[in-house]
Amino acid sequence: MSLIVEAPGFLQVFSDGTVVRTAHRAAACSATSKHVTIDPSKPITARVFLPSAAASPSPLPVLLYFHGGGFCIGSTTWLGYHVFLENLSAAAEAIILSVDYRLAPENKLPAYDDCFAASSGYAQASSRGLTLPTYPVFFLASDSAGGDIAHHVAIKFVGEKNTKISIKGIIPIHPYFGSEARTELEAEAGSVEEVKMNDMFWKLSLPDRADRDFQSCNFEKAEVEWGLFPATAVFVAGMDFLKEKGVMYVDFLKKKGVKNVLLHEAEEEKQRFSDMESELRCCCFAPKPDKKFHAKLLIMIIKETLVLLNTNLNWQNKCKHCSWLNSKYLFSRRLLHQNP
């Protein structure tokens, strides 16, 4: 048995098909969260976060959250995700259902179906002692590979024309898209190792003999009634070599006639600097000063974005005030002065 591929500190895949994932510190459920099973046969599970153990959630929106990790690693139980989503639920006054979908390479991209199934899994949460709205307004939020998942789950909802569930908007944070054609940043010498790692994750995740122009990877290959696609707020990081794909995604949606598409850019930041690099994170990619402040800012921005997504206003194409380290502003219909 020999090692085929490795993401140091996260994942090893061996020639006999064995997959070894590095264990990361998990968070137990709290007074405002509960673990639920969506489909025990697969298995698919999720964690529900409530703004307050005492508050009535009936008028609240529901945020379906899909974690990142190149489709191969990650869990809603990871401490960083748990803390981030618990704080986001409280700040945004939203119910959050964070889905643990099946991972590649053991499963070749079942994440779309698993996360789509979370809408029915949400209803099952009521049987676990949670009083939840029957047919609430849904938002989809995600980071990295979860951004790709949110895109495809939204497409599934458009195709299904489900009248009982309304997807009001999606919020992909540093979305993980790809294609055979390289962007300028991907082609730069300094991006070689990052591109190599991302290509590895796509190879582990995509069906056999599929390349990066497969529809799961390349958003331009999707066919859907784009006029019905939900409002979208995309977050990108200025120093992330995936930023170009995020910007291209925004332009693509606008050209397809999607109503209300917004771009948030953190000009001097790398991918996933906020939620995944909080002080409490158990699998930090890189040290960063003032991490609690970063996460707090992102939470506040998402809260304002939820307000935007719930309107029918035409947004600006790009948020010019979201350099989250250096700016004291948040963008919504107005600039909110902050004192970090």
Side-chain angles (χ1 to χ4, degrees):
M1 182 174 69
S2 59
L3 181 65
I4 298 177
V5 293
E6 179 180 22
F10 293 94
L11 178 77
Q12 291 180 319
V13 181
F14 294 88
S15 57
D16 67 347
T18 299
V19 179
V20 177
R21 293 180 178 86
T22 304
H24 294 288
R25 185 179 174 189
C29 290
S30 63
T32 56
S33 63
K34 180 163 287 192
H35 203 68
V36 296
T37 299
I38 295 174
D39 187 338
S41 68
K42 292 194 170 49
I44 310 168
T45 60
R47 187 162 288 192
V48 179
F49 297 87
L50 299 175
S52 169
S56 171
S58 55
L60 303 181
V62 174
L63 191 71
L64 295 180
Y65 194 90
F66 313 132
H67 68 76
F71 306 101
C72 297
I73 58 175
S75 170
T76 186
T77 65
W78 281 10
L79 181 60
Y81 277 118
H82 180 92
V83 173
F84 171 66
L85 294 175
E86 192 169 51
N87 290 337
L88 175 59
S89 175
E93 296 184 344
I95 299 166
I96 297 178
L97 182 72
S98 180
V99 184
D100 261 337
Y101 50 85
R102 288 171 292 169
L103 299 174
E106 302 96 321
N107 306 282
K108 294 291 186 177
L109 285 182
Y112 307 142
D113 292 332
D114 292 357
C115 292
F116 182 75
S119 59
S120 61
Y122 163 84
Q124 294 177 25
S126 295
S127 66
R128 299 294 302 274
L130 301 175
T131 303
L132 303 176
T134 304
Y135 298 120
V137 173
F138 276 94
F139 297 89
L140 309 180
S142 53
D143 68 276
S144 194
D148 175 272
I149 295 171
H151 169 73
H152 286 281
V153 170
I155 287 175
K156 277 181 171 289
F157 271 106
V158 171
E160 291 281 331
K161 293 183 172 61
N162 191 319
T163 58
K164 294 182 179 179
I165 296 177
S166 170
I167 300 297
K168 194 70 173 180
I170 69 173
I171 308 174
I173 304 169
H174 309 163
Y176 181 54
F177 295 117
S179 66
E180 284 297 303
R182 298 297 191 192
T183 65
E184 289 184 12
L185 285 176
E186 288 175 331
E188 289 183 356
S191 299
V192 171
E193 291 303 316
E194 289 178 301
V195 169
K196 182 179 178 181
M197 185 65 67
N198 274 7
D199 286 353
M200 179 200 77
F201 278 118
W202 277 119
K203 186 175 181 180
L204 291 173
S205 304
L206 291 171
D208 294 339
R209 294 183 292 278
D211 61 20
R212 292 188 308 278
D213 279 333
F214 188 68
Q215 63 180 2
S216 296
C217 183
N218 189 339
F219 56 78
E220 295 182 354
K221 301 300 180 180
E223 295 183 5
V224 68
E225 194 173 346
W226 290 106
L228 300 178
F229 197 82
T232 304
V234 180
F235 288 65
V236 298
M239 297 174 65
D240 178 16
F241 76 100
L242 294 178
K243 168 197 167 181
E244 287 175 315
K245 284 294 184 184
V247 174
M248 291 166 64
Y249 178 56
V250 168
D251 292 340
F252 173 80
L253 293 180
K254 289 176 71 67
K255 289 178 182 177
K256 288 294 184 179
V258 176
K259 298 176 182 178
N260 294 342
V261 181
L262 177 67
L263 177 67
H264 283 285
E265 179 178 352
E267 295 180 352
E268 299 179 5
E269 292 304 327
K270 297 181 179 180
Q271 187 195 33
R272 297 166 61 169
F273 72 91
S274 47
D275 55 337
M276 288 291 88
E277 292 182 7
S278 69
E279 188 173 76
L280 296 174
R281 189 182 172 213
C282 53
C283 52
C284 192
F285 283 95
K288 209 64 150 158
D290 301 325
K291 297 168 190 172
K292 281 186 176 180
F293 172 56
H294 299 169
K296 181 180 178 181
L297 270 177
L298 179 63
I299 287 169
M300 296 175 73
I301 291 170
I302 292 176
K303 177 182 177 180
E304 292 300 313
T305 301
L306 286 173
V307 175
L308 275 176
L309 289 172
N310 211 24
T311 70
N312 294 315
L313 298 174
N314 290 320
W315 299 338
Q316 294 184 19
N317 184 43
K318 180 176 179 180
C319 171
K320 298 179 180 179
H321 302 277
C322 284
S323 181
W324 299 328
L325 272 181
N326 302 319
S327 176
K328 294 184 179 181
Y329 302 100
L330 297 179
F331 178 83
S332 65
R333 288 180 61 189
R334 61 199 182 283
L335 294 178
L336 303 179
H337 291 274
Q338 305 295 326
N339 292 305

